[in-house]
Amino acid sequence: MYEIMTADEAVSLINDGDVICVNSFVGIENPTELHEALYRRFKETGSPRNLTMISSAGFGTWSESGNAEDYIREGAVDKLICGHFGAMLSTKRLVLEDRFEAYNLPLGCISHAIRAQASGIPGALSKVGLDIFVDPRREGPGINHLSTDSSYVKVVEVDGEEFLYYQLPKIKVVLIKGTAADRKGNISFDDQYMSGDALSICQAARANGGKVIVQVDRLVTTPSRPRNTIIPGCLVDAIVLAEPQKRHAAYESLTGSFEIPYAQWQDWHEMLETLTSTRTTANAAAKIIGRRAEKELKEDDIVNIGIGLPENVSRYARKSGMLDKITLTVESGGIGGFPASGTVFGAMIGAASVYDMANQFDLYDNGGLDICFMGALEVDRHGNVNSHRGPGAFAGIGGFANITAKTPTVVFCFTFNTKGLEVSKVRDQVTIEQNGSIAKLVDEVRSVSFSAKRAIENGQRVLYVTERCVFELTPKGLKLTEVYPGVDLQRDILNLLPFEVEVACFV
């Protein structure tokens, strides 16, 4: 039977050495009151310590302090297992300083491993991750020198087929943010942007004899309608009532509490961009890339568009009228709306459906998308892509590996080089005014997020769209298939490549 507690009382249920799973998505739906109560307890008593933290998509707030950043920095955590670290600003820096163990697994594979644990199965099989960095025959999931545990990802064979087997430590404590708890302890998520893996995480904790702690905005006397309950009260141990954070009315567009017609998507998106202070780069190079990549869309496509530069694809899809003829999706479980970006990445404007994250990755993993548009830090001569780790910095693989693993058409959107690149376009003529000092096309990527070899075996069509040309993946590696008007083939492309590339016959 659940109890209503203060945040400080609830975190007293956590013991030294516990494995804690946080239901959140990058920077949204974090149970901040619970994290801060845990920090208060640790600061006052030195306990709990030696914690292991698990989160499919990370649990930051785009800040150096607050939320979980403080108790992680002060030494309460020994181990982190996350799909994405991007919103954990202090933590991802400490990871590279070898302050604690940290492992980066594909977001969808963590989600599925949690669901497996909920059903009493120790792990989940997947072909996602084969031949990329997480494959133990390459690098494995460990991010720093301390992270050498080989139990989380193993290569196995089933009926003659090769898989990766993802296994997580047994979840003992769950931290969740919900909207309301009724008098039976049932938890609804009406005002949340997503529910993530909430139910699976609770079931896993119950299977392991653990505790479920839920932070809610309000208590209600009327029982939730059965289909609105995400977590049944019988799975909940502690409910913490916390004053909801005040936010601009524009954020209500992400909760699904009112209908948003297609014609209004862009208005809401622009309003949210202003509030989240992370406007998508819309310089000349980004516009050229977005316009060219958008031409790959077809009516009735089911699509995922990555954050950052690929977001320009949706801008041109709106201008061409194609946006209303396709179905957009986002990793957190949203389908059929317009994905938000910036600090509210993972939310969706005008979604037709928002379901469990594990179900979304079922769709992605089985090739249910028609096309995806992803960014790239580096691309090498083989066509391999590094999207998760730069020099002295990393954000994590997130859902990238799942999204690109079987999608029939994969389009990478990136500039030919960066840091100082200046490009102009007048009418249809592209001019490279100045090249950047950092090449993005390299002989070998420093870490593999996308395997060209695996894509060829899967029969995927892979394009690499830049501001001056387009490459296509072939069994021999990259092939230059398009050069934009105004771009000099030799001077602007071939002379700058560190490897030889096949060139198509241009008409």
Side-chain angles (χ1 to χ4, degrees), residues 147-274:
S147 308
T148 58
D149 194 326
S150 61
S151 66
Y152 304 131
V153 187
K154 298 176 182 177
V155 181
V156 299
E157 188 174 294
V158 179
D159 294 336
E161 284 195 72
E162 195 173 72
F163 294 85
L164 291 184
Y165 182 62
Y166 292 90
Q167 187 171 6
L168 300 172
K170 288 189 175 182
I171 296 167
K172 296 295 290 186
V173 177
V174 173
L175 303 181
I176 289 176
K177 172 75 167 66
T179 296
D182 69 17
R183 58 185 173 80
K184 296 182 179 180
N186 300 313
I187 309 297
S188 63
F189 283 67
D190 294 353
D191 294 342
Q192 309 308 119
Y193 306 149
M194 58 108 208
S195 58
D197 288 318
L199 180 58
S200 292
I201 294 170
C202 293
Q203 291 172 328
R206 177 53 61 100
N208 299 329
K211 301 291 185 182
V212 173
I213 305 172
V214 184
Q215 174 187 322
V216 296
D217 295 337
R218 58 183 180 269
L219 303 176
V220 296
T221 56
T222 305
S224 295
R225 293 184 64 184
R227 291 188 182 276
N228 291 350
T229 295
I230 301 296
I231 306 170
C234 61
L235 299 181
V236 179
D237 295 285
I239 294 173
V240 175
L241 179 63
E243 185 72 23
Q245 186 178 11
K246 291 183 179 180
R247 59 192 183 193
H248 191 280
Y251 288 97
E252 296 302 313
S253 66
L254 305 174
T255 65
S257 57
F258 57 93
E259 183 183 1
I260 301 178
Y262 167 76
Q264 297 179 15
W265 286 2
Q266 187 63 24
D267 294 336
W268 286 103
H269 183 64
E270 289 175 358
M271 193 184 308
L272 286 163
E273 272 191 329
T274 301

Side-chain angles (χ1 to χ4, degrees), residues 45-111:
T45 69
S47 180
R49 59 174 56 251
N50 307 125
L51 299 173
T52 294
M53 308 292 295
I54 298 172
S55 177
S56 298
F59 49 100
T61 55
W62 303 100
S63 174
E64 293 278 348
S65 60
N67 201 55
E69 301 289 336
D70 296 325
Y71 65 79
I72 291 174
R73 182 170 51 248
E74 294 297 325
V77 175
D78 284 354
K79 189 179 298 184
L80 276 168
I81 304 170
C82 293
H84 201 271
F85 293 77
M88 305 167 73
L89 301 188
S90 170
T91 297
K92 65 181 181 180
R93 186 172 60 252
L94 297 176
V95 167
L96 297 180
E97 294 175 3
D98 288 347
R99 291 280 293 273
F100 39 77
E101 291 182 62
Y103 299 87
N104 183 210
L105 280 61
L107 194 164
C109 299
I110 297 178
S111 180

